[in-house]
Amino acid sequence: MSHIHIPDGVLPWWLWLSGWLLALGLLAVASRMATGAGSRRAVPLIGAVSALVLVSMSSEIVPLAYHINLTVIAGVLLGPWLGAISAFIVVLVLALLGHGGATVVGLNTLVIATEMTLGWALVRGGLRLLGHKRVRPVAAISTVITLAITTTMLVGIVALAGTGATARETGALDAETLEFRNPFGDGVFTIGLLGDGHDHAGETEEEHAAHADDDHDEAGGLSVKRFAAVVYTLGPFGWVLEALVTAAILGYVARVRPSLVYGTPAAEYRVRYGDEHGGH
Amino acid sequence: MDVTAVDRSAVLGDTLLHRAAPASKLVSAGLLLGAIVTVNDPLVAAGLALSLVGAGAAVRLPLRQMLPLALYPALFAVVFAFAAAPGPATGALFVLKAVTAALTVVTLMFSTPYPQVFAPIQRITPTIVGDALLMTYRSLFILAEKFSDLLRAVRLRSGVSARQPVRAARATARALGGLLLYSLDLSQREYDILRLRGYEGGMRVRRQVSTDRSADAAALLYAALILAVVVVFRALPHELGGYAWLVTVVGAVDLATGLRIGRRT
């Protein structure tokens, strides 16, 4: 549930535009914080970690048709501010490769940035609380909690769109109003696809418009309940899988490069030459 | 998702679209995305999708590599449509919007080198974001190749098998763990190179100009025409809704013509 797979033009314009504005505001703050810490070191690090997240998102686990996200790990390595920049970059590159809508880049950035920040806070807090030896369970539990929260965020976004959105705002069209007319014989035939059986042929233009408006209103926006039921049913499988993978990777990294997980933030971390492949 | 194919086509391709200025292509893509956001009739959306494929075929873009990328979002859109759409027509509209939007951006990326696509984004975002964006795309190819090698090595040792998902997940996780360490080393090497080159923030991309003005005009006109059709159908739903099937037919004709032109040239 790391990013919203909602096509362009489905969410109302005010929602995705707000997402863009909030994301740009977050980027401005995050950039100021990151630049203060030294952007020269941050730029290649964000680039490498964002690329890693993108590579993981493009690799499917056989045969489950699930792609891992590594957002919690990215959060642990980058921290909240660099994480927010990385979230924007990941979402933007994904959108440019057709994976996720361009209009929802802002909302997706907010969701992934939240995931990275929560992951960072929960893993660091958990390790401080439970000790360094429990890195795997801490990573797994943090991932599940993080993904459960961001999934709820996703449902909240759809709920915001669903309650306020009319069929026209969401770009939705009611199947019952879908009709085929002959341009060469005005009103000769009008077939309602999956129609309600109503014959609108004898109506005046005003009556027809009124009917269509009623139909649009009935069609309403998105079905939030059904959407929530689907994501809360399928989501937990993804959460558990992501948690297992995150735990395995962080456990491995903690074994070969412990300072990356327990100590210095990656932005200040430096590998000694000759120790690039783990000397622990 | 084969990102190397995208870059190869963008840099080495020589179609009419490759000759247009990146700015014109970005504006055209923006207009087409505007059309996709605006469209509210599945028949119009279908016509738009068919016409776009036809245009791609006419200028001989590598559709075999582009279409799988463009169709990939359909998988998620189907799930979303099933979960949230109020009816079958709306569900179809969601899927068509996802595929058409993906096709638009994929067409842009297959015909424009990535620094040129990122250049306008660099101008509106803080320096660190623009620079990191360029570094991400550069690192992406290196890491994708490295990960592919790692997975191949794991597969050769029978670590990834469809019959053993737990073992496959463990092997993938181990490969990703190795890749993570490699990516941190890579970022350090890149940092050292940036220091040596005197990087102080702000990587500049030289703007690419058009080599064929007619290509710019064609891209802009095509996108503007599509947007105009969609806006008219959106503005007059009661008057024109019944004729939306004509747009699908025109899209199909575009596709057939585009395929024919593409084969001839």
Side-chain angles (χ1 to χ4, degrees), chain B residues 81-228:
Chain B
F82 170 74
T90 312
L93 181 68
F94 288 175
V95 177
L96 284 165
K97 277 182 179 235
V99 172
T100 319
L103 191 59
T104 303
V105 287
V106 165
T107 304
L108 174 73
M109 294 306 285
F110 266 81
S111 61
T112 319
Y114 70 89
Q116 297 296 330
V117 178
F118 293 157
I121 300 165
Q122 271 189 309
R123 263 173 240 136
I124 57 163
T125 52
T127 312
I128 187 173
V129 179
D131 289 356
L133 191 57
L134 286 170
M135 292 303 281
T136 301
Y137 213 77
R138 189 187 176 280
S139 308
L140 184 58
F141 295 105
I142 299 169
L143 292 187
E145 196 181 340
K146 184 80 180 170
F147 186 56
S148 160
D149 290 347
L150 279 168
L151 274 186
R152 197 177 303 126
V154 172
R155 245 184 230 122
L156 285 171
R157 292 167 61 192
S158 309
V160 177
S161 154
R163 287 179 189 169
Q164 294 168 308
V166 176
R167 195 175 167 188
R170 200 175 289 168
T172 310
R174 209 168 294 156
L176 280 168
L179 193 69
L180 188 147
L181 297 180
Y182 179 82
S183 68
L184 291 172
D185 295 341
L186 177 73
S187 83
Q188 189 175 297
R189 278 198 297 275
E190 284 173 342
Y191 168 61
D192 291 338
I193 293 165
L194 287 175
R195 273 185 66 184
L196 276 171
R197 289 183 177 181
Y199 169 73
E200 289 294 339
M203 295 178 193
R204 285 188 189 86
V205 178
R206 194 182 294 167
R207 198 179 290 183
Q208 190 182 313
V209 291
S210 167
T211 53
D212 185 349
R213 287 278 169 207
S214 60
D216 296 64
L220 288 166
L221 267 175
Y222 174 78
L225 184 70
I226 294 270
L227 179 63

Side-chain angles (χ1 to χ4, degrees), chain A residues 5-10 16 24 27-28 31 34-35 39-52 54-59 61-64 67-68 70 73 77 82 85 88-89 92-99 102-103 158 168-175 178-183 186 194 205 208-209 212-213 219-223 226-227 230 234 241 245 248-249 252-253 256-257 260 266 269-271 273 276-277, chain B residues 1 3 6 33 36-37 39-43 69 72-73 76-77 79-86 88-90 93-95 97-98 101-102 105-106 108-109 117-118 121 124-126 128-129 131-133 135-137 139-140 143-144 147 151 155 160-162 164-165 168-169 172-174 176-192 194-195 199-201 203 234 237-246:
Chain A
H5 292 287
I6 297 178
D8 286 307
V10 170
W16 58 258
L24 288 176
L27 273 184
S31 301
T35 310
S39 64
R40 280 200 309 191
R41 182 75 188 92
V43 165
L45 183 71
I46 297 170
V49 174
S50 305
L52 178 75
L54 285 164
V55 168
S56 75
M57 282 182 180
S58 67
S59 59
I61 290 191
V62 187
L64 305 173
H67 72 69
I68 26 190
L70 299 192
I73 292 176
L77 292 172
L82 297 187
I85 297 172
F88 173 74
I89 290 169
L92 189 71
V93 174
L94 282 177
L96 287 171
L97 293 170
H99 189 118
T103 53
V158 174
R168 236 182 239 186
E169 278 172 327
T170 54
L173 187 90
D174 184 6
L178 192 63
E179 56 189 19
F180 298 87
R181 284 194 215 159
N182 183 354
D186 192 23
L194 310 171
E205 209 164 281
H208 182 76
D213 279 344
L222 304 168
S223 171
R226 197 163 10 117
F227 181 73
V230 169
L234 295 177
L241 199 58
V245 171
I249 295 176
Y252 173 70
V253 175
V256 297
R257 297 257 182 97
L260 279 173
Y269 177 79
R270 185 168 178 94
V271 179
Y273 284 109
E276 288 93 338
H277 302 291
Chain B
M1 175 158 51
V3 283
V6 182
L33 283 176
I36 293 155
V37 170
V39 70
N40 69 340
D41 190 314
L43 294 173
L69 268 177
Y72 183 57
F76 302 102
V79 176
F80 179 72
F82 170 74
T90 312
L93 181 68
F94 288 175
V95 177
K97 277 182 179 235
V105 287
V106 165
L108 174 73
M109 294 306 285
V117 178
F118 293 157
I121 300 165
I124 57 163
T125 52
I128 187 173
V129 179
D131 289 356
L133 191 57
M135 292 303 281
T136 301
Y137 213 77
S139 308
L140 184 58
L143 292 187
F147 186 56
L151 274 186
R155 245 184 230 122
V160 177
S161 154
Q164 294 168 308
T172 310
R174 209 168 294 156
L176 280 168
L179 193 69
L180 188 147
L181 297 180
Y182 179 82
S183 68
L184 291 172
D185 295 341
L186 177 73
S187 83
Q188 189 175 297
R189 278 198 297 275
E190 284 173 342
Y191 168 61
D192 291 338
L194 287 175
R195 273 185 66 184
Y199 169 73
E200 289 294 339
M203 295 178 193
R234 175 85 189 235
H238 310 308
E239 292 82 356
L240 295 178
Y243 305 113
W245 62 273
L246 283 173

Side-chain angles (χ1 to χ4, degrees), chain A residues 8-152:
Chain A
D8 286 307
V10 170
L11 297 177
W13 66 268
W14 58 264
L15 186 57
W16 58 258
L17 199 61
S18 307
W20 262 104
L21 291 175
L22 283 171
L24 288 176
L26 176 67
L27 273 184
V29 176
S31 301
R32 187 168 289 181
M33 301 299 288
T35 310
S39 64
R40 280 200 309 191
R41 182 75 188 92
V43 165
L45 183 71
I46 297 170
V49 174
S50 305
L52 178 75
V53 173
L54 285 164
V55 168
S56 75
M57 282 182 180
S58 67
S59 59
E60 201 178 285
I61 290 191
V62 187
L64 305 173
Y66 176 83
H67 72 69
I68 26 190
N69 300 305
L70 299 192
T71 42
V72 170
I73 292 176
V76 170
L77 292 172
L78 294 174
W81 300 119
L82 297 187
I85 297 172
S86 171
F88 173 74
I89 290 169
V90 166
V91 172
L92 189 71
V93 174
L94 282 177
L96 287 171
L97 293 170
H99 189 118
T103 53
V104 291
V105 163
L107 290 168
N108 269 335
T109 301
L110 297 177
V111 173
I112 295 198
T114 306
E115 218 163 276
M116 288 186 180
T117 306
L118 274 174
W120 166 79
L122 289 171
V123 169
R124 296 270 164 163
L127 288 176
R128 205 167 283 173
L129 205 70
L130 299 172
H132 288 181
K133 282 184 180 171
R134 303 206 183 269
V135 63
R136 280 197 174 95
V138 164
I141 293 165
S142 303
T143 306
V144 170
I145 295 171
T146 302
L147 292 178
I149 291 171
T150 49
T151 303
T152 307

